[in-house]
């Protein structure tokens, strides 16, 4: 109802009483649904200030930047997140590498994106999202025969995911 001040007051009270990351992200989603991206961005920046080790806030902020065509800022946030943990198998690092790979692929930096996907697969050979990206890379290069094993793994691990079947079918047609 365009009552921004009242909404801010309610969200401030909610955030003061509940310090969970999810609560702050839910509040940011509310602002996004109201098409007030600057408020969502502010919440994530405050969250990063409050929790310097948060991958979730950084991933959310990077996604927000990407959606608003601020790709350089998105990449900066993701690269900063990669510095949070030296373990390449850490779940936050894996998620960050996947997000950075997707961003690079969107920006037509395929070799950089593929390098990140390969790093993820070296650490976790059954990572479904990495196989999906790898398969899509193969499809973009018209390498259907190489895409087939990637999409087969996706279908085996996540049979409920229709994209895996559609991509596998496309790879077979290409082959």
């Amino acid at each position: 109802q365009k009552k921004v001040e009242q909404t801010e007051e309610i969200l401030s009270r909610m955030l003061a009483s509940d310090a969970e990351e999810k609560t702050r992200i839910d509040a940011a989603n509310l602002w996004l649904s109201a098409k007030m991206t600057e408020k969502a961005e502010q919440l994530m920046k405050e969250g990063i200030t409050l929790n310097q080790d948060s991958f979730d806030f950084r991933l959310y902020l990077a996604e927000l930047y990407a959606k608003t065509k601020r790709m350089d800022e998105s990449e900066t946030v993701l690269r900063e997140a990669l510095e949070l943990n030296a373990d390449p198998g850490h779940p936050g690092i894996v998620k960050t590498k996947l997000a950075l790979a997707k961003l690079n692929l969107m920006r037509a930096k395929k070799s950089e994106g593929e390098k990140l996907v390969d790093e993820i697969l070296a650490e976790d050979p059954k990572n479904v999202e990495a196989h999906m990206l790898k398969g899509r890379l193969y499809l973009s290069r018209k390498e259907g025969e190489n895409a087939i094993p990637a999409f087969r793994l996706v279908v085996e691990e996540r049979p409920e995911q229709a994209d895996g079947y559609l991509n596998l079918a496309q790879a077979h047609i290409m082959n």
Side-chain angles (χ1 to χ4, degrees):
Q1 297 178 350
K2 307 282 186 207
K3 296 182 179 178
V4 175
E5 291 173 15
Q6 289 171 317
T7 303
E8 284 178 328
E9 182 183 321
I10 292 167
L11 291 178
S12 291
R13 283 190 304 212
M14 179 181 79
L15 291 169
S17 68
D18 186 354
E20 293 290 320
E21 285 184 353
K22 183 185 177 324
T23 303
R24 185 169 289 275
I25 289 171
D26 288 345
N29 282 330
L30 179 81
W31 287 123
L32 280 181
S33 70
K35 301 202 182 336
M36 300 184 81
T37 56
E38 63 284 341
K39 300 249 186 230
E41 179 182 350
Q42 179 184 353
L43 277 176
M44 290 304 99
K45 286 181 175 179
E46 289 170 1
I48 290 169
T49 301
L50 293 171
N51 184 353
Q52 294 288 320
D53 297 330
S54 172
F55 282 97
D56 291 338
F57 291 150
R58 285 177 171 79
L59 288 166
Y60 189 98
L61 184 60
E63 185 177 340
L64 185 142
Y65 286 151
K67 285 180 179 177
T68 56
K69 310 288 187 232
R70 295 157 61 186
M71 303 301 188
D72 289 339
E73 290 174 85
S74 180
E75 184 174 352
T76 299
V77 170
L78 292 172
R79 294 218 179 268
E80 288 171 0
L82 288 176
E83 303 298 319
L84 294 178
N85 194 308
D87 176 11
H90 185 279
I93 294 295
V94 172
K95 286 180 187 176
T96 302
K97 283 183 178 180
L98 281 167
L100 190 54
K102 288 176 188 175
L103 181 69
N104 282 327
L105 295 174
M106 282 178 18
R107 298 175 82 186
K109 295 181 178 181
K110 289 184 181 181
S111 63
E112 291 176 38
E114 187 170 15
K115 180 180 176 246
L116 289 164
V117 170
D118 289 341
E119 287 177 17
I120 293 165
L121 290 173
E123 196 63 37
D124 179 7
K126 289 205 169 218
N127 186 297
V128 176
E129 290 181 56
H131 277 283
M132 182 67 94
L133 285 175
K134 187 73 169 186
R136 287 183 178 157
L137 273 166
Y138 285 134
L139 288 180
S140 73
R141 293 193 304 236
K142 309 280 189 243
E143 297 176 16
E145 68 183 52
N146 292 329
I148 290 170
F151 293 129
R152 276 197 181 133
L153 184 128
V154 172
V155 168
E156 288 170 11
E157 295 295 319
R158 293 206 186 133
E160 73 283 357
Q161 191 171 341
D163 282 357
Y165 292 101
L166 294 171
N167 285 311
L168 179 59
Q170 186 176 1
H172 278 296
I173 289 169
M174 189 178 288
N175 194 29

